[in-house]
Amino acid sequence: MPRARPDCNPQEEKKRPSFRVRMLMWLVNLVVIGCVVVAGYVSVIFLQMPSLDDILHETRPAAIIFLDRDGNEIRSAGRIMGMPVSTESVPPHVWQAIVAIEDKRFFQHGPIDARGIIRAAVSNLVRGRVAAGGSSITQQTAKNVFLSREKKLSRKVQELILSYWLENRFDKNQILDLYMNRVSLVGGMRGIDAAARVMFQTSAREMSLAQAAQIAAMLKAPTTYSPLKNPEKNIARARVILQEMVRQGYVTLNQARAAAAELAPAAPAPDTNLYRYWTDFVLDETRSRLGGFNSDLYVYTTLDMGLQERIAAILPSHVGEYQGAVVAMSRDGAIRAMSGGADYQASQYNRTLALRQPGSTFKPVVYMVALERGMTPDSYVNDSPFAIGDYNPKNYNERYYGDIPLSVAFSKSVNSVPLKLTEEYGIDSVLDMAGRLGVGTRLRREYSTVLGASEMSLLDLTTIYAVIWNDGQSVRPYSITKITDPAGNILYERNPSDAIAVIGAQTVEFMTQMLYDVISTGTGRRANAPGVLGGKTGTSNENRDAWFVGATADLVIGVWVGNDNFTPMSSKITGGTIPAEIFHEIVE
């Protein structure tokens, strides 16, 4: 009889699981461990995700939208997104074009379009390359709003988590709104509104069916299908989108055919550098009015865009190797145009605010003192050498005219007469007049100030002349009429104070007559043109600065030409040459 093995218990052998059961148990354990690992991995990825609420309400630099005197947008500063849009605020064909080409079953499936993923996988397998994507609009929204474009497994897991979170929190229209506002299509800016403004100079709210198809065409690859950079590819894909919109019942065949006939390459956006001196100036003014601000702003300005574009085109063609600046304002001080240099891209320095010696353009201040004291344009004065102490300036051409009418002394811009008038009426009376005109705070109390040796800006100088042509009423230059938030709430509105009479009516009459003589018979003849009321030339020592300030019925315009480094202009430029010619061309 065989003996049992001492280490074997028949009872225990009976209870031991079979191989099949042990394999099943092993597989179950493996699945559990796998689930734990996957859950742990997903948890780690989840913890690494950004705060969803924070990103949905992300903070960004407040954008400032500048508008001209008629409410037209000039340009924006700090804008990284287009204006917010929604499926309700844009024409239906705008969002329909997106859905038709990006995710035609968007309103039927959940966060993930399983059918679309399978279809894309089969298509890619047949073609042997990645030719189609299966991501839903929800997935693309998750990627655009929250994630980087890194091709990592962790990012894809995050995308799936976010897709489910988005569909749980928002309805389909809200997700589509997020997508339209956050998708990146143009040079760092986000949103279809930004793309529409750059490509077609219109808002998303006003896009035609053709334009909507061309913007939707960019979604696949913004640069490859750009209507600006690759118009042929963009138009070809836009045609496909129009066909899909017909197939899916969004538009009729006739509508699609009409839109297809309108497809065209995008034109480059206008060069907003033409307005940059102006918008930089207004931005500083905005900050001085509001201090800090956290919301987007609409700044309504006094700019005349047509005049600004004209000045920006004229100035560089005249100054050549030198620099120049122009400011134009209405009689009440509303600044209508400002060009602070010949080329903003080359130099952002705004020369309308630079302190320079005004030369003879300061002389009206002295002459108005004399007119107030009883002199008239016909009063005789003596033009002869003048000296006070060591100060003995000469006339520009070193020629003296003897006894001449006051108006002739002014039109020929002689130097001795305003000095003699100052000696008679006192330097304090000249500084007082300058103070009444709004420019007296920085002037030096010395005789050289009479001939324009105390520095002032072109904006200040133009203001002096605006007072004269504003019938002697005080003028305070202004650039902003109101500032609102996006909802239209007024944050600032100009409340003009009553103008104060700072020059008497007779003085104004005599002064305007003398200013007209300058352009008709004097140093400013090159500025004369139909409708010009008068003006004055000015040239500082050694031709470092050349000026002309003149007026029409609507505008007072100041022009400066010189070198930034204060060196003399080698061509002996005077106020009666290039500055007067620039003025003439602006108003002609």
Side-chain angles (χ1 to χ4, degrees):
M1 188 173 177
R3 296 173 60 188
R5 292 197 324 238
D7 58 345
C8 182
N9 187 333
Q11 189 76 15
E12 290 179 358
E13 194 171 276
K14 267 186 179 181
K15 294 180 180 178
R16 190 172 186 178
S18 66
F19 174 77
R20 184 177 296 176
V21 172
R22 290 200 306 274
M23 285 296 296
L24 183 60
M25 292 174 64
W26 183 81
L27 287 173
V28 169
N29 289 335
L30 186 63
V31 169
V32 171
I33 293 170
C35 289
V36 171
V37 171
V38 171
Y41 176 76
V42 171
S43 298
V44 170
I45 297 300
F46 184 80
L47 291 173
Q48 293 175 345
M49 288 171 59
S51 168
L52 308 183
D53 286 325
D54 286 349
I55 293 184
L56 278 176
H57 303 93
E58 67 175 337
T59 58
R60 58 174 174 81
I64 302 179
I65 295 88
F66 301 96
L67 303 110
D68 73 356
R69 62 186 296 187
D70 298 319
N72 301 310
E73 183 174 331
I74 302 168
R75 64 178 300 273
S76 62
R79 180 189 282 173
I80 61 172
M81 292 172 145
M83 300 307 296
V85 299
S86 68
T87 54
E88 295 181 354
S89 68
V90 297
H93 56 246
V94 172
W95 63 262
Q96 289 168 353
I98 295 170
V99 172
I101 195 63
E102 291 296 304
D103 189 355
K104 64 183 179 182
R105 296 184 58 255
F106 173 64
F107 292 101
Q108 284 76 51
H109 64 66
I112 299 170
D113 182 10
R115 188 189 303 177
I117 292 173
I118 294 170
R119 183 175 60 251
V122 171
S123 175
N124 294 336
L125 188 64
V126 169
R127 299 187 185 188
R129 59 186 177 88
V130 178
S135 293
S136 67
I137 284 179
T138 303
Q139 288 176 272
Q140 293 181 55
T141 302
K143 179 173 62 179
N144 289 331
V145 175
F146 300 104
L147 303 174
S148 69
R149 295 188 175 274
E150 293 180 299
K151 295 184 177 181
K152 292 182 178 179
L153 176 61
S154 60
R155 193 204 61 77
K156 199 65 180 176
V157 172
Q158 288 179 330
E159 181 185 301
L160 293 173
I161 295 171
L162 288 167
S163 297
Y164 279 91
W165 180 84
L166 284 170
E167 294 255 353
N168 183 59
R169 177 163 181 176
F170 302 109
D171 62 35
K172 290 287 189 178
N173 284 334
Q174 290 173 319
I175 293 171
L176 192 51
D177 294 347
L178 274 173
Y179 179 77
M180 290 192 295
N181 286 313
R182 300 297 182 90
V183 65
S184 180
L185 295 174
V186 182
M189 294 181 69
R190 287 183 280 166
I192 62 168
D193 184 73
R197 291 174 187 275
V198 172
M199 297 298 170
F200 302 116
Q201 292 79 60
T202 188
S203 70
R205 291 176 169 84
E206 298 172 339
M207 275 199 291
S208 67
L209 175 57
Q211 291 168 340
Q214 289 188 263
I215 294 296
M218 297 174 67
L219 296 170
K220 183 175 182 179
T223 301
T224 303
Y225 293 96
S226 166
L228 188 60
K229 297 180 179 179
N230 293 297
E232 292 181 0
K233 288 185 177 182
N234 174 270
I235 291 172
R237 184 162 175 79
R239 291 182 186 279
V240 172
I241 292 171
L242 292 171
Q243 291 169 3
E244 283 296 319
M245 294 180 75
V246 172
R247 189 174 292 117
Q248 296 171 39
Y250 288 129
V251 297
T252 66
L253 182 58
N254 286 338
Q255 288 174 319
R257 284 174 174 168
E262 295 175 8
L263 297 174
D271 180 10
T272 58
N273 281 331
L274 301 177
Y275 312 104
R276 288 296 299 275
Y277 290 113
W278 171 250
T279 55
D280 287 355
F281 174 80
V282 173
L283 180 58
D284 289 341
E285 291 288 298
T286 301
R287 287 172 175 150
S288 71
R289 298 283 183 273
L290 301 182
F293 45 88
N294 298 317
S295 67
D296 291 350
L297 301 177
Y298 286 82
V299 181
Y300 293 79
T301 78
T302 57
L303 186 77
D304 180 326
M305 289 178 70
L307 180 61
Q308 177 69 27
E309 291 169 7
R310 181 171 176 77
I311 289 172
I314 290 170
L315 185 61
S317 67
H318 281 272
V319 298
E321 63 185 289
Y322 308 119
Q323 264 296 352
V326 178
V327 65
M329 66 174 67
S330 62
R331 293 185 179 192
D332 72 339
I335 304 173
R336 298 303 185 196
M338 174 182 282
S339 188
D343 184 350
Y344 183 87
Q345 286 184 309
S347 171
Q348 290 78 54
Y349 179 52
N350 189 344
R351 295 158 187 85
T352 66
L353 308 178
L355 297 179
R356 310 283 300 213
Q357 292 185 340
S360 295
T361 49
F362 183 78
K363 288 176 181 176
V365 178
V366 183
Y367 279 83
M368 283 190 286
V369 172
L371 293 170
E372 280 195 342
R373 299 298 178 94
M375 296 189 74
T376 71
D378 296 328
S379 299
Y380 270 79
V381 289
N382 181 259
D383 176 32
S384 59
F386 173 88
I388 183 166
D390 295 332
Y391 186 59
N392 56 348
K394 298 177 175 58
N395 285 343
Y396 180 77
N397 56 7
E398 298 191 23
R399 179 182 175 186
Y400 296 92
Y401 298 94
D403 292 334
I404 53 175
L406 191 71
S407 60
V408 173
F410 184 77
S411 66
K412 292 183 178 298
S413 200
V414 301
N415 287 334
S416 68
V417 170
L419 288 168
K420 291 178 179 179
L421 294 173
T422 301
E423 186 179 41
E424 180 176 353
Y425 298 119
I427 184 69
D428 289 334
S429 63
V430 174
L431 297 178
D432 176 68
M433 175 63 74
R436 287 155 56 188
L437 296 168
V439 297
T441 57
R442 288 190 297 267
L443 301 181
R444 295 187 292 275
R445 191 179 182 279
E446 55 190 42
Y447 271 78
S448 62
T449 293
V450 172
L451 301 185
S454 287
E455 295 81 2
M456 64 176 57
S457 70
L458 178 60
L459 183 58
D460 286 341
L461 186 64
T462 307
T463 302
I464 291 176
Y465 287 79
V467 174
I468 298 170
W469 277 298
N470 193 37
D471 299 324
Q473 303 292 307
S474 60
V475 173
R476 294 188 65 183
Y478 65 97
S479 60
I480 300 172
T481 54
K482 69 176 178 178
I483 303 171
T484 72
D485 63 16
N489 299 310
I490 295 177
L491 307 179
Y492 163 82
E493 189 165 22
R494 181 175 179 268
N495 183 21
S497 56
D498 292 336
I500 302 170
V502 295
I503 309 172
Q506 188 173 69
T507 300
V508 169
E509 180 184 349
F510 287 154
M511 195 70 248
T512 52
Q513 176 187 326
M514 291 165 65
L515 288 167
Y516 179 76
D517 290 343
V518 172
I519 65 166
S520 60
T521 61
T523 58
R525 290 188 296 274
R526 295 192 192 187
N528 201 357
V532 176
L533 303 180
K536 184 70 181 78
T537 61
T539 310
S540 67
N541 286 340
E542 298 183 316
N543 302 86
R544 287 182 168 86
D545 305 276
W547 313 74
F548 184 85
V549 185
T552 65
D554 302 317
L555 296 169
V556 181
I557 302 172
V559 182
W560 167 85
V561 175
N563 289 317
D564 286 340
N565 61 4
F566 293 91
T567 56
M569 289 180 281
S570 58
S571 303
K572 300 296 183 183
I573 304 301
T574 67
T577 58
I578 291 178
E581 291 165 3
I582 291 172
F583 174 89
H584 179 275
E585 190 167 344
I586 291 170
V587 303
E588 188 179 24

